[in-house]
Amino acid sequence: MDESTTTLSLAIGARVRQERQNRGWTLDQLAEAAGVSRRMIINVEQGAANPSVGTLLRISDALGVGLPALVESPRPKPVKVTRSGEGATLWTSEQGGRGVLVAGTESPDVVELWDWTLGPGDQHGSEAHAAGTKELLQVLHGTLTVDVDGHMNTLEAGDSMTFPGDVAHSYANPGTDPVRFSLAVFEPGVGSGHLQEAGS
């Protein structure tokens, strides 16, 4: 991991540990609520893992805090400015692709704003998110193919799309030039239903 990835991993780990301890949960309780292994929770808390976005979403949902809360300091602010280059890079590829979380709101109804770049031939698959999740995207440059539960959609620069995020979906760059798109994700009721399960 490079220095910025290591710093982000340590910050996420500290926040996961803080939220877990605030709830009085054991590692096993969080692992069960999130549907991930105890070893993964330990690695995340120690900053030793570079977990997938899907894993981070499961952990943040189980904690009831939303993904944006895991990648920024816990101080509530009425206005939060993220300067260019300061977003949390949560996905990268060998082809130069990057998924950067640039802004987000707090739970229970979480909205995330992402800046995505996919290099030529890049693809990013996403498992189904929590029920009721919606995604909106706009292609800023290039050609993007979006597969929503087996239905393929090809978008060009300037095109936009809305689709359910609670089904399997993926983004791909079929072209020879990079593609860049903005993505907004709405996740209603983050954490609802998990708190009692983990505590029981």
Side-chain angles (χ1 to χ4, degrees), residues 77-94:
K77 300 176 186 176
V79 176
K80 167 98 167 67
V81 175
T82 303
R83 300 289 179 200
S84 178
E86 293 180 353
T89 302
L90 298 177
W91 180 82
T92 58
S93 76
E94 293 181 6

Side-chain angles (χ1 to χ4, degrees), residues 22-89:
N22 287 348
R23 285 160 180 74
W25 287 3
T26 66
L27 291 165
D28 290 327
Q29 287 173 315
L30 177 53
E32 182 180 338
V36 300
S37 70
R38 182 178 191 274
R39 171 53 46 200
M40 176 56 76
I41 298 294
I42 291 169
N43 288 342
V44 168
E45 287 193 1
Q46 292 177 346
N50 187 10
S52 69
V53 174
T55 297
L56 289 176
L57 283 169
R58 287 193 296 274
I59 293 171
S60 66
D61 185 48
L63 291 170
V65 297
L67 183 58
L70 289 186
V71 298
E72 63 183 36
S73 62
R75 297 165 296 180
K77 300 176 186 176
V79 176
K80 167 98 167 67
V81 175
T82 303
R83 300 289 179 200
S84 178
E86 293 180 353
T89 302

